[in-house]
Amino acid sequence: MRVRTTVVAASALVLCLAAAGCGPDGADDGAGDKGGKGPGKAATSQAPSADSAATPEAAASPAPTSDGRTLTEAELAKVALTTGEVPGYEIAPLEGTDERGTEKAEDEACRPIAAIINGSPEPAPAAIVFRTAMDTAEEGEDDRTVVTEILTSHPKGGAEELLRSVREAVRACADGFRTTSEDGPSTYTGVKTLPAPGAGQESFAYQVTGSLEGVRVPLVFHLVRTGSTVVTFYAANFLTETAPEVPDALVTAQAAKLP
């Protein structure tokens, strides 16, 4: 869950989301990522491989109800987490969100994954709000825990389609994919499903391994849906190859606020 880098100060979402694939094309020739346990909170929870028969996509039990409304930007802002709602985390708006990534997957099947890396989930939402959650206990540390949160509302059926398309893309692109963008080509060497907490009406988590100047960069995404609203949580580790974590407490607390 840690965006283990000085990305805390980044004002552009692109730096968080697109930087992991901006290394030289083909610089990382690995077929997968380590995903094993590392020190402290940087350790992941025993994530299965992409080709594992078991795909732990947890669902809340019992499933929450929803009024199904397509929220406006103002309404999304009201249901977004705020400081004090999750102990130990400071929540703030993410600056510079008018700059999005421009990565386009060469394989159309991987397009939904690239869209989320760009900070522009598809299908296009009716409204979108960005937040960051930072671990207050790690203030001043280079590897401070930072999680980016993207709240999107969708016309009828759009939220379900977003989750469905991402699931399909994760399965189709398990061996990795390539993208092109304004900054040149990028290579992602693997995609795999991760355990997801029981939150909202539907939740899904996965990891993408990018390359930054030849170094593997694990990116972790958690998506949770209630009604017509989807929240995407993102974390990266730019300092080591240890997979980051998105804390369950953030996911479940945010899901509980969705109408």
Side-chain angles (χ1 to χ4, degrees):
M1 147 207 77
R2 33 178 73 178
V3 171
R4 307 183 59 194
T5 180
T6 52
V7 76
V8 178
S11 61
L13 186 68
V14 176
L15 184 58
C16 287
L17 296 180
C22 68
D25 182 34
D28 184 348
D29 59 0
D33 41 358
K34 294 186 177 179
K37 289 189 176 181
K41 286 175 287 186
T44 70
S45 55
Q46 302 169 343
S49 62
D51 57 359
S52 171
T55 303
E57 299 170 12
S61 181
T65 58
S66 171
D67 60 18
R69 289 183 298 122
T70 299
L71 303 184
T72 64
E73 182 177 341
E75 289 173 324
L76 281 179
K78 287 182 179 179
V79 300
L81 286 175
T82 60
T83 299
E85 292 182 318
V86 180
Y89 284 89
E90 177 184 352
I91 314 295
L94 181 64
E95 302 295 331
T97 54
D98 53 331
E99 295 185 54
R100 308 286 178 81
T102 59
E103 296 195 48
K104 296 181 180 180
E106 293 182 356
D107 185 341
E108 185 66 18
C110 306
R111 177 171 175 166
I113 299 174
I116 288 182
I117 291 174
N118 288 333
S120 302
E122 296 179 351
I128 186 166
V129 165
F130 297 87
R131 295 289 185 268
T132 58
M134 294 169 280
D135 191 327
T136 56
E138 298 172 343
E139 187 171 1
E141 297 182 14
D142 288 340
D143 61 352
R144 186 181 185 185
T145 298
V146 181
V147 177
T148 298
E149 182 180 355
I150 308 173
L151 296 91
T152 54
S153 62
H154 301 262
K156 185 176 181 180
E160 292 87 343
E161 174 59 25
L162 171 54
L163 270 291
R164 181 167 55 251
S165 65
V166 170
R167 281 196 181 92
E168 292 174 352
V170 168
R171 287 193 293 266
C173 306
D175 293 332
F177 60 99
R178 288 165 49 90
T179 66
T180 57
S181 72
E182 295 175 356
D183 298 318
S186 299
T187 298
Y188 295 89
T189 59
V191 184
K192 66 180 180 182
T193 301
L194 297 177
Q201 293 179 316
E202 186 178 9
S203 59
F204 181 67
Y206 63 99
Q207 178 177 319
V208 179
T209 301
S211 173
L212 180 60
E213 297 179 352
V215 178
R216 293 179 183 177
V217 179
L219 315 174
V220 170
F221 300 87
H222 282 224
L223 280 68
V224 60
R225 179 189 67 82
T226 295
S228 297
T229 304
V230 176
V231 184
T232 300
F233 296 86
Y234 155 80
N237 187 346
F238 292 97
L239 298 183
T240 75
E241 294 184 6
T242 302
E245 290 182 4
V246 172
D248 288 358
L250 288 174
V251 178
T252 55
Q254 180 59 83
K257 294 189 68 176
L258 302 181

